[in-house]
Amino acid sequence: SQQGEEDPQALSIQEGENATMNCSYKTSINNLQWYRQNSGRGLVHLILIRSNEREKHSGRLRVTLDTSKKSSSLLITASRAADTASYFCAASGGSNYKLTFGKGTLLTVNP
Amino acid sequence: GAGVSQSPSNKVTEKGKDVELRCDPISGHTALYWYRQSLGQGLEFLIYFQGNSAPDKSGLPSDRFSAERTGGSVSTLTIQRTQQEDSAVYLCASSLYGTGHYNEQFFGPGTRLTVL
């Protein structure tokens, strides 16, 4: 079964607004990674947060991790039309090499 | 090269034919992974290489699927006697190490396989 589950499945916002996507996972993890995918092709690595970290920033991205709730969130601030893509969380668990992906959130940023 | 490259970018084949998909990882990355993305199943792990060895082949869907890696670099995923359900985007990724906290996986652009 899927380790990560994103919520919502689809999100449509206006440029300049913030976008928040959530991810839940089932078992313990070593780290959790967020990816972006445009047009169903290659995945772009956005950010990795380790299990002992609670928050991480990268540019306009902010990721939080709550291991007690087995959940993570990705916040994109001041969104741009170019942020339109699918966003996936991927959990790295006990084996630590295998990523288990959620089904993704399709983000549409309207100009 | 700067990133993971895959070839071909698109492959259309007839049911029953064999196909080979190629992956060139980032130079120096010891770990290499194959994933498959299809509409119904999302992103699925297929196989993991550490160097030239494949400690985990658990995601390969059937014995028609095989993969090898040579020289700790290039990998080939082979699908024999292709079926229509094999149609998907096949993604390759590499990471500096296979384990540890910093095993960020970097993905190639994928090969879109269509089996007619």
Side-chain angles (χ1 to χ4, degrees):
Chain A
S1 62
Q2 294 286 353
Q3 171 78 299
E5 292 288 340
E6 288 90 348
D7 166 47
Q9 290 186 334
L11 179 62
S12 182
I13 60 174
Q14 296 300 122
E15 245 184 345
E17 293 180 340
N18 296 341
T20 299
M21 288 159 272
N22 303 300
C23 167
S24 60
Y25 55 92
K26 294 184 173 65
T27 61
S28 62
I29 60 170
N30 291 301
N31 65 62
L32 190 135
Q33 304 182 39
W34 284 90
Y35 289 85
R36 184 184 74 226
Q37 185 178 42
N38 293 85
S39 304
R41 295 309 292 262
L43 292 157
V44 175
H45 188 273
L46 296 176
I47 199 163
L48 178 153
I49 186 164
R50 295 184 298 177
S51 59
N52 61 353
E53 296 176 318
R54 292 296 166 257
E55 188 170 312
K56 208 161 181 181
H57 296 254
S58 176
R60 293 184 295 113
L61 305 180
R62 172 176 167 253
V63 168
T64 62
L65 179 66
D66 186 336
T67 53
S68 67
K69 295 181 180 177
K70 291 187 168 57
S71 68
S72 174
S73 67
L74 170 68
L75 168 68
I76 305 174
T77 60
S79 64
R80 306 166 183 168
D83 294 330
T84 294
S86 291
Y87 291 82
F88 295 87
C89 69
S92 177
S95 65
N96 210 32
Y97 54 79
K98 181 190 301 185
L99 290 180
T100 308
F101 286 83
K103 293 191 185 298
T105 293
L106 176 59
L107 172 66
T108 303
V109 181
N110 301 300
Chain B
V4 178
S5 60
Q6 292 185 245
S7 61
S9 56
N10 286 285
K11 177 71 177 179
V12 180
T13 190
E14 292 179 349
K15 179 181 171 181
K17 295 284 179 73
D18 298 351
V19 295
E20 280 191 356
L21 312 180
R22 177 187 168 104
C23 172
D24 281 272
I26 293 172
S27 178
H29 279 194
T30 65
L32 185 146
Y33 318 78
W34 284 97
Y35 294 84
R36 178 171 73 172
Q37 185 176 29
S38 54
L39 276 176
Q41 300 298 321
L43 274 148
E44 304 172 279
F45 167 84
L46 297 179
I47 188 169
Y48 156 63
F49 285 93
Q50 181 59 51
N52 293 332
S53 302
D56 189 346
K57 307 178 184 179
S58 62
L60 295 178
S62 76
D63 58 9
R64 295 186 295 104
F65 287 72
S66 63
E68 64 174 13
R69 188 180 185 195
T70 55
S73 181
V74 172
S75 176
T76 303
L77 177 68
T78 301
I79 309 172
Q80 296 178 309
R81 305 181 301 283
T82 52
Q83 304 294 312
Q84 288 181 331
E85 61 263 28
D86 299 335
S87 296
V89 176
Y90 289 82
L91 292 159
C92 176
S94 70
S95 64
L96 188 58
Y97 306 111
T99 59
H101 283 300
Y102 291 103
N103 65 332
E104 291 100 327
Q105 295 185 22
F106 298 92
F107 283 77
T111 293
R112 183 178 299 278
L113 174 66
T114 303
V115 182
L116 301 176

